[in-house]
Amino acid sequence: TLDRISDARAWLSAMGGTIASHIPHVSLGYPGSRQATPEDLRRVEQEVQVLLTTRVHDLNQKGDAQWKEFISMYTPSSVVCGSVGPAQAFFERNGTIEKDQTHIRLTGQDAILWAFQGMQEKYSYAFENFYEAYGERHGCKVHALSMTRVFVWSRFRFSRIAGTFNSQILVRENERSPWTVEHLMFTITDFQGVDRIMRNILKDCQCFVLDNSLRESTVGQVRGHTVEDKLSIFDAVKSVGFEYVIVAAFNSQQRVEDAFLPKLKKDRGEDFSKFFAFSEVADKFEDGRFIYGDNNIPAALTKMDTFGVPNVVFEIDLLRGGSNDRNQFGVEHVMQLLTFLLNWHQKWHQKKFKSKGMAFINLRDFPFAILQRSELLLNVVQRLAALDKKIRPVGIMIEEPMGIYLPQELEMWTRRLRDLMDSCSWQARVPKPKTNERPDGLLLAHVHNNWGLADAGQLACLGAGANGIWCSICEEGSAQGHACSAVTLANLARMGNTDVTNRYTAQNLAVAARKVTEATTGHGPYDRQPIYGVRAIDSVFDFPGIAGGNIFDFDTDAAGKPNTFNLAKFLGIDDPPVRINELSSARQIVHRLEQVFGRHPDWTPARASMMQARMLKNLREDRKEEYSSALGLAKLYKEATGQCLPQCAEKHLADPKLMEEEDAFTKLMCTEAENIFKQQAQGKTYMDFDAWFAMFGIAYFGSADNEVARAAFNILDINGSGSLQLYELLLVVTWACREYPMHIKNFDNVIDVVMRHLILPNVLRGNNVAHNAGLSTENMCKNAAASWAKAFNEKDWKSLSEAYSEDAVLHVDLGEALSAFMTYFHIQGPYFVCRGRANIWKFWNAFRDKVAEFRGFDPESRCTAITEGRDAAILQSKFSCTTFDGWIHGRYMCRNDQGEWKIQADHMEFGELLSEPKGQPVNLSHLAASEDAILEGRQLTDNEVRESLFKDANEFKNAFNSQNPHGCAEAYSDVTVMRADIPAVADLMKKTFGYEDPVILRDKQQIETFWSRMINDVQLRDMKGYERVNEAWPMTICVLSDNMGLVRSKWRMDKVGGHIHSQRMVREDPQKPWKVAADFFAIYETFP
């Protein structure tokens, strides 16, 4: 009684009741027990909870020592019992419990150890810890009934299985004895996680494929199959290693098969021994019964004889007689019919081929029959299994024709059929590949895809005991298609199934599926079609853990191990194509450039970063474009870097072999484009702007004088040659057919797609469309600078202020105007630095009061510019304003997200004083930025930046004076541009080296060649420049940030001289060396 009272008290307390508080603690008088105080009992409760949580932790370590510690808590009389609840079917399938058993009872150490070890071996899957219990989050309650007896309640989880320990009693003989489990009662309430049993079945199954590509694709065709189409499909099927093929569905009408099969037999000499044809079980159905007999042989069997197709698939609908005609259309009638047909087929086959033929029975309305006439269906299968093996079919085919049933429903029905076949001794025998072994007892599944359930349903059938599939290699079929072999086999391989790769030629699977799709629909599969779409194996992300990443870091195979399956390798592709998108890393962009164009030194992380930035900018401007194709990549590269592709990449784009990979429709469009090109080019190998405009542009731009039309032409001119090559035209046609296949039915559609989706979004965008369309980057910058001059002269301070970015820098080298600036503006020399839009505006406002009209940034001022891609440029221009003259050596401008050009820095030099300034002096000294202060967002002062840059700027001079052209080139960054205005030596440079004025180079190798020619061919020596401000060849530095500055310097060599107007120098961080990102210099003088 005392035991029961104490147990009840503990149970009530564990359930949170209040009654327990009214039941006093009592001494139970067990041997070795003593009168316990509340503090003693709390100490015991803590001790037991620590013991249990320790045992859980140890058990997860999975070592022998831990198992010994765990099992030592159980005795020969310990009892573990409980309800398996929702896990019943799972335990039953893997043999842990008997059929329909709902409770488990284990007695003694051995039985309990066997159960727990089995749980760990079989069910540990997809969780870090195998076993969880007794913690706070498990709601654990421990109640000491005495010093030697404890009650425990807790939630638990064994991997996928979760529930509660309703009652666990731990006992010990005395306070010094170890605790043991007297009994444990549990209830399983939850069953979660992946289905490891199903995955193991899929991993181990041998998947027999009865290929139906020649017939299934016929009912899915958009354009009728010709004999050549049939041969193309057959070759694709054969390339995968499918041996068993359905080649025809005969009836009384003439079909393409009637011409295709003789060609296959006579011209090709193919072995027909494993070929099948569909046949109805009867051509007539009258009064609720099939009409059959020697005088009513199905027409298909007669044609099989004519064309020599040896094996048959008999198709039957068990609901044909109606669900109420059970007597007239019952199992006897069906079996008499099937027995007659099977007998006839075997006799005919023996007579014609001198061997035993193969037959399948296709239960065409399988799901409806099992729901409405399950007794008939199961009796037919049972009776088929009992037939003499001489005539018994080699298997049953089941079909889900509507695609409406859930995978678990198909799984249940398939398992019912497989269990029945096995119980009737009709076990499956899948023949070894490339042998003449006869299959037997096969159960093949076929699932349609009207509601997107097909692939999951087909896998469910295989997991439930089906031994194979009958389907096409691609999804094309009746209605919305069906579950195809390409997807199913790839999924089996993903589960770790090695029979797939041993039995079939997996590397040809995707190519074959594409060929069958093309023959069926007239074009290739949808790009993102799983497994065999052209983007199915794209590497999308540069990190794991998400679809399209480099690896699966969370997926596991059927054995519970990390899944290393790689679809690309399964399909025989070692380097899956990288798909470029806004999340692509610079490393991926470099990789994609190498994939498309081959390796080249221009494919650097720095250039890739520029491309990455350009992509994001385009998206911010609502320009949604494609960047993975050769065209998309070439266009992005040109936009981002301002450079055309290297010659090797251009050769790749022009390679005619690229067209061989395209589908028939794309080839047709390209052929039409080529014909039009040849007509417009009139015998030339290129098409100029006028010819292009007549072909493409007139319908969209109206006039050839339209600057937008010129900009559109430049987009298509991928190699920057000023003309349109044939390969460039074919490239955009191929791009259009790939990216917008649903929009294209003819060549006029191609032109429309190219214009609307490629050209117009690029030339008509932003807020400055009308003004900027068709203008070069250089002209846009010059126009913006001219607008600045106009605003200055008209005292339009709002426009002038808005011409600068918020954190712009004005650096003025005072030079010969130093004394005037000290007098009239109280500005000390030798230079003045002003930071921020507001302060720069104040300076120009005060300066404008002292001078008359500003002249500069026009042709008379010799204004020129160096462009860095489409969004950055540096201008230089002489200026004068009646009182002063001078030189703006470097106006660094960038285009913002709205397409507006903003001045980031003005680096200028004042010359001589031409006349006295007007008005009274004004004190602008407060506008001068401190040289020794660390500004917000900076780590270094301006002086510290100048000192660090001075040394690296001289590296070029040192290399030149050492006659080291490679060292000269190494002073430049990987992504760089050099512009040399050479008016003093233009004719000589043109004649000797072919250089135009200006010389513009965007490749380090080209820059090295330039300096090599200057050093070795021209024999230039003794460079002077980059000296301190107070020396003969001074250099000044406009500091933009800790890692960017504009350098200007006078310079000369022994034969020539001029000005380094602006070198934009950058570094990755203060610990890295400075490099030249843009070099803008001029040769203005020559010396004898």
Side-chain angles (χ1 to χ4, degrees):
T1 302
L2 289 174
D3 283 351
R4 292 176 181 273
I5 291 173
S6 296
D7 284 354
R9 180 185 183 280
W11 180 82
L12 288 169
S13 180
M15 300 312 292
T18 57
I19 301 175
S21 61
H22 300 290
I23 301 178
H25 283 282
V26 293
S27 175
L28 301 179
Y30 289 109
S33 67
R34 61 180 175 81
Q35 184 70 33
T37 66
E39 290 75 15
D40 290 334
L41 296 177
R42 280 193 291 272
R43 178 175 55 79
V44 167
E45 291 167 356
Q46 292 172 359
E47 173 190 331
V48 169
Q49 186 161 10
V50 169
L51 172 67
L52 292 173
T53 54
T54 301
R55 289 290 179 266
V56 169
H57 177 269
D58 289 344
L59 197 60
N60 285 321
Q61 307 309 306
K62 305 178 183 178
D64 292 339
Q66 286 77 19
W67 276 113
K68 289 179 180 178
E69 289 289 334
F70 170 77
I71 202 62
S72 66
M73 294 186 63
Y74 293 84
T75 69
S77 60
S78 296
V79 176
V80 174
C81 59
S83 168
V84 295
Q88 191 276 334
F90 182 74
F91 282 125
E92 180 183 313
R93 280 164 51 193
N94 60 64
T96 303
I97 60 177
E98 299 294 329
K99 184 176 177 60
D100 298 329
Q101 184 179 338
T102 59
H103 288 74
I104 292 177
R105 179 183 177 88
L106 304 168
T107 303
Q109 277 182 325
D110 293 341
I112 294 169
L113 178 62
W114 169 83
F116 275 87
Q117 284 184 326
M119 289 276 285
Q120 189 177 51
E121 291 171 3
K122 294 181 180 179
Y123 315 132
S124 176
Y125 190 71
F127 286 101
E128 180 180 354
N129 294 321
F130 159 66
Y131 180 28
E132 290 183 5
Y134 306 119
E136 284 188 20
R137 69 192 187 96
H138 305 110
C140 181
K141 307 289 184 183
V142 181
H143 293 277
L145 308 177
S146 70
M147 298 297 291
T148 58
R149 192 172 180 83
V150 174
F151 170 90
V152 180
W153 183 96
S154 177
R155 288 189 292 271
F156 72 87
R157 179 180 63 77
F158 287 94
S159 187
R160 300 173 56 203
I161 299 165
T164 56
F165 293 141
N166 307 98
S167 173
Q168 184 174 7
I169 299 295
L170 278 73
V171 298
R172 59 183 178 180
E173 292 184 6
N174 55 59
E175 294 179 32
R176 296 183 180 180
S177 302
W179 291 97
T180 60
V181 176
E182 182 179 273
H183 86 264
L184 185 153
M185 180 178 289
F186 67 86
T187 300
I188 294 175
T189 59
D190 202 7
F191 179 65
Q192 303 175 350
V194 300
D195 191 339
R196 186 175 171 191
I197 298 298
M198 175 71 82
R199 287 173 177 248
N200 271 315
I201 292 171
L202 295 174
K203 177 178 75 74
D204 296 333
C205 80
Q206 294 177 302
C207 186
F208 179 96
V209 174
L210 178 59
D211 182 79
N212 194 33
S213 300
L214 287 163
R215 287 305 309 159
E216 189 70 39
S217 58
T218 299
V219 293
Q221 65 187 348
V222 175
R223 299 170 177 86
H225 282 171
T226 64
V227 172
E228 291 303 317
D229 290 333
K230 292 282 188 184
L231 290 170
S232 175
I233 293 172
F234 178 79
D235 289 340
V237 169
K238 191 175 178 181
S239 72
V240 181
F242 293 156
E243 300 179 68
Y244 299 85
V245 181
I246 300 172
V247 295
F250 292 122
N251 60 23
S252 58
Q253 297 177 335
Q254 279 201 335
R255 291 180 172 175
V256 179
E257 287 94 332
D258 296 3
F260 159 66
L261 290 173
K263 199 172 186 65
L264 205 61
K265 185 83 169 179
K266 294 177 182 178
D267 296 355
R268 295 283 198 92
E270 294 289 346
D271 179 8
F272 275 38
S273 63
K274 296 179 181 178
F275 289 177
F276 287 76
F278 284 114
S279 173
E280 295 290 335
V281 291
D283 292 338
K284 295 180 181 179
F285 187 82
E286 297 176 359
D287 299 326
R289 296 174 69 85
F290 289 111
I291 307 302
Y292 65 93
D294 291 332
N295 297 323
N296 290 285
I297 302 298
L301 294 181
T302 304
K303 281 201 170 185
M304 285 173 56
D305 181 52
T306 303
F307 293 105
V309 180
N311 308 301
V312 64
V313 176
F314 288 117
E315 298 197 281
I316 186 169
D317 298 310
L318 293 180
L319 290 186
R320 183 71 176 270
S323 59
N324 296 322
D325 295 336
R326 298 180 186 273
N327 295 325
Q328 188 174 7
F329 190 85
V331 66
E332 293 302 329
H333 172 64
V334 172
M335 283 309 303
Q336 287 172 9
L337 165 69
L338 293 179
T339 303
F340 170 80
L341 292 171
L342 292 168
N343 261 312
W344 187 95
H345 174 252
Q346 285 301 337
K347 289 178 182 178
W348 166 79
H349 195 283
Q350 188 66 41
K351 180 179 179 181
K352 188 174 184 69
F353 301 103
K354 306 295 191 260
S355 62
K356 190 176 180 182
M358 292 180 283
F360 280 100
I361 304 298
N362 180 26
L363 303 177
R364 196 159 46 188
D365 58 351
F366 169 68
F368 313 119
I370 204 167
L371 288 172
Q372 298 183 41
R373 298 202 64 181
S374 58
E375 183 180 355
L376 171 62
L377 185 148
L378 297 175
N379 279 334
V380 166
V381 173
Q382 188 175 20
R383 294 275 292 273
L384 285 171
L387 288 175
D388 189 316
K389 291 183 180 180
K390 293 179 181 179
I391 66 167
R392 188 171 68 184
V394 295
I396 298 291
M397 291 161 54
I398 57 176
E399 180 173 357
E400 208 287 65
M402 302 299 292
I404 59 176
Y405 293 102
L406 297 176
Q408 56 266 41
E409 293 166 343
L410 294 178
E411 177 188 354
M412 175 175 60
W413 299 333
T414 304
R415 179 171 293 108
R416 183 80 171 89
L417 220 57
R418 181 74 264 171
D419 289 347
L420 177 61
M421 293 172 72
D422 289 345
S423 67
C424 295
S425 300
W426 200 12
Q427 284 87 6
R429 181 171 67 242
V430 179
K432 294 179 181 178
K434 298 179 179 62
T435 69
N436 290 321
E437 289 183 359
R438 181 181 174 83
D440 194 25
L442 300 183
L443 180 59
L444 310 185
H446 177 85
V447 184
H448 282 252
N449 196 36
N450 292 3
W451 298 97
L453 300 171
D455 293 314
Q458 191 145 284
L459 287 173
C461 291
L462 289 170
N467 314 103
I469 52 180
W470 65 278
C471 54
S472 173
I473 197 171
C474 70
E475 288 189 354
E476 301 303 327
S478 64
Q480 300 302 311
H482 71 304
C484 64
S485 56
V487 174
T488 298
L489 294 179
N491 268 298
L492 291 178
R494 185 175 65 86
M495 297 293 170
N497 189 308
T498 58
D499 183 71
V500 167
T501 50
N502 293 332
R503 187 176 293 274
Y504 307 114
T505 309
Q507 60 265 33
N508 294 339
L509 203 56
V511 175
R514 290 183 200 129
K515 286 182 178 178
V516 176
T517 302
E518 184 180 338
T520 302
T521 64
H523 56 76
Y526 180 56
D527 283 359
R528 292 180 177 85
Q529 162 66 42
I531 310 305
Y532 59 91
V534 294
R535 293 186 179 176
I537 56 172
D538 282 2
S539 175
V540 181
F541 301 108
D542 203 20
F543 48 86
I546 189 168
N550 288 345
I551 58 172
F552 293 128
D553 66 341
F554 58 88
D555 197 12
T556 50
D557 64 14
K561 298 177 181 177
N563 193 345
T564 57
F565 177 77
N566 183 297
L567 177 61
K569 290 183 178 178
F570 172 71
L571 297 175
I573 299 171
D574 293 328
D575 187 17
V578 175
R579 189 193 311 165
I580 301 302
N581 60 77
E582 62 191 277
L583 297 180
S584 298
S585 66
R587 185 167 70 98
Q588 284 184 298
I589 294 173
V590 170
H591 190 186
R592 185 58 181 162
L593 285 166
E594 292 174 344
Q595 286 181 330
V596 174
F597 303 119
R599 292 185 178 275
H600 193 274
D602 280 5
W603 314 147
T604 63
R607 280 190 172 93
S609 296
M610 294 173 69
M611 295 168 71
Q612 191 179 36
R614 184 69 201 187
M615 269 194 297
L616 295 174
K617 185 176 186 302
N618 288 348
L619 286 171
R620 291 193 296 270
E621 293 177 354
D622 288 332
R623 292 172 56 198
K624 186 176 181 180
E625 299 186 17
E626 176 274 333
Y627 302 114
S628 299
S629 68
L631 173 64
L633 209 56
K635 182 174 171 294
L636 178 62
Y637 182 85
K638 185 177 178 181
E639 282 186 2
T641 67
Q643 303 176 30
C644 294
L645 291 171
Q647 192 173 11
C648 68
E650 186 182 339
K651 287 180 179 177
H652 176 86
L653 292 177
D655 187 351
K657 292 181 180 178
L658 292 177
M659 284 306 304
E660 296 175 5
E661 302 174 4
E662 299 302 327
D663 61 71
F665 184 72
T666 301
K667 290 177 182 176
L668 179 64
M669 294 298 99
C670 287
T671 300
E672 191 164 345
E674 184 174 357
N675 292 336
I676 296 173
F677 179 92
K678 289 177 179 178
Q679 292 172 10
Q680 295 292 334
Q682 297 180 346
K684 294 180 288 188
T685 60
Y686 61 89
M687 185 187 296
D688 59 19
F689 171 78
D690 291 335
W692 170 84
F693 186 82
M695 175 183 174
F696 272 113
I698 191 168
Y700 292 86
F701 304 112
S703 170
D705 295 329
N706 190 328
E707 289 182 331
V708 179
R710 291 280 178 181
F713 181 74
N714 290 337
I715 290 171
L716 299 176
D717 180 16
I718 297 168
N719 66 1
S721 64
S723 61
L724 187 63
Q725 311 293 318
L726 175 60
Y727 82 84
E728 292 172 318
L729 177 61
L730 297 182
L731 198 61
V732 296
V733 172
T734 302
W735 171 86
C737 292
R738 278 188 178 182
E739 296 302 316
Y740 298 92
M742 298 299 104
H743 297 191
I744 296 175
K745 304 298 180 186
N746 53 50
F747 191 71
D748 288 340
N749 298 150
V750 173
I751 296 175
D752 189 63
V753 165
V754 170
M755 283 295 176
R756 294 184 183 278
H757 296 285
L758 177 65
I759 293 177
L760 295 180
N762 284 277
V763 297
L764 302 176
R765 69 179 190 276
N767 298 326
N768 303 318
V769 171
H771 182 67
N772 289 345
L775 295 179
S776 69
T777 299
E778 181 174 340
N779 286 337
M780 284 189 281
C781 293
K782 289 180 178 178
N783 287 347
S787 297
W788 175 92
K790 181 181 179 183
F792 178 87
N793 290 331
E794 296 177 354
K795 297 185 179 182
D796 181 357
W797 303 122
K798 181 176 184 297
S799 296
L800 185 139
S801 173
E802 289 178 351
Y804 288 89
S805 65
E806 193 67 40
D807 56 351
V809 182
L810 171 65
H811 178 112
V812 182
D813 294 327
L814 300 177
E816 298 176 30
L818 175 59
S819 61
F821 267 77
M822 292 178 65
T823 301
Y824 287 95
F825 301 111
H826 298 266
I827 292 176
Q828 306 296 314
Y831 52 78
F832 163 72
V833 177
C834 182
R835 291 188 176 275
R837 173 191 290 169
N839 287 337
I840 294 173
W841 166 77
K842 291 175 184 177
F843 170 81
W844 288 122
N845 190 4
F847 183 80
R848 178 67 178 85
D849 289 339
K850 301 289 182 290
V851 301
E853 185 178 8
F854 175 96
R855 292 180 178 273
F857 299 113
D858 53 34
E860 292 75 21
S861 306
R862 294 203 300 189
C863 175
T864 57
I866 180 173
T867 60
E868 302 180 56
R870 294 167 55 93
D871 299 324
I874 303 174
L875 286 78
Q876 68 80 24
S877 176
K878 284 187 173 183
F879 73 89
S880 63
C881 49
T882 65
T883 305
F884 300 95
D885 68 4
W887 213 321
I888 298 178
H889 289 288
R891 168 164 284 185
Y892 179 46
M893 302 184 71
C894 293
R895 184 157 49 179
N896 65 15
D897 292 343
Q898 288 72 46
E900 302 165 332
W901 286 94
K902 298 291 185 182
I903 302 169
Q904 307 297 313
D906 271 338
H907 192 185
M908 59 193 301
E909 174 191 17
F910 276 84
E912 61 180 322
L913 181 65
L914 303 178
S915 62
E916 290 295 322
K918 299 183 299 181
Q920 297 298 314
V922 58
N923 189 351
L924 298 182
S925 61
H926 64 284
L927 299 180
S930 171
E931 295 290 289
D932 298 311
I934 297 179
L935 303 178
E936 184 179 354
R938 297 267 300 274
Q939 299 177 2
L940 303 173
T941 67
D942 281 3
N943 269 336
E944 289 172 332
V945 174
R946 287 194 180 92
E947 283 302 312
S948 68
L949 205 157
F950 181 83
K951 175 180 177 296
D952 287 348
N954 273 277
E955 287 298 317
F956 174 87
K957 181 177 71 174
N958 296 336
F960 183 90
N961 290 335
S962 300
Q963 301 178 34
N964 179 6
H966 180 71
C968 292
E970 283 302 303
Y972 294 80
S973 63
D974 290 336
V975 178
T976 189
V977 57
M978 185 195 90
R979 171 170 176 146
D981 292 337
I982 53 174
V985 293
D987 292 340
L988 181 63
M989 294 284 271
K990 173 71 173 178
K991 181 179 179 180
T992 309
F993 304 112
Y995 287 133
E996 300 286 347
D997 182 16
V999 180
I1000 300 176
L1001 305 175
R1002 298 182 184 273
D1003 184 279
K1004 281 182 71 171
Q1005 185 60 51
Q1006 295 174 345
I1007 291 172
E1008 182 175 341
T1009 300
F1010 177 87
W1011 290 117
S1012 176
R1013 288 170 172 172
M1014 298 304 104
I1015 294 170
N1016 298 316
D1017 298 345
V1018 183
Q1019 296 285 304
L1020 294 179
R1021 298 289 186 273
D1022 190 23
M1023 179 179 180
K1024 297 179 176 64
Y1026 299 114
E1027 296 178 353
R1028 298 288 182 178
V1029 172
N1030 56 356
E1031 296 185 73
W1033 305 95
M1035 168 179 67
T1036 62
I1037 301 169
C1038 171
V1039 177
L1040 280 79
S1041 69
D1042 289 348
N1043 301 312
M1044 185 188 300
L1046 302 180
V1047 173
R1048 81 159 188 90
S1049 177
K1050 291 181 179 179
W1051 69 277
R1052 75 158 285 177
M1053 296 168 186
D1054 58 339
K1055 299 176 183 178
V1056 293
H1059 217 112
I1060 298 168
H1061 288 298
S1062 188
Q1063 280 186 336
R1064 189 172 74 86
M1065 300 194 68
V1066 297
R1067 60 182 176 180
E1068 294 180 12
D1069 59 62
Q1071 284 70 48
K1072 298 293 178 61
W1074 290 91
K1075 296 289 183 180
V1076 179
D1079 187 10
F1080 192 8
F1081 68 93
I1083 300 175
Y1084 294 130
E1085 299 176 278
T1086 61
F1087 306 101

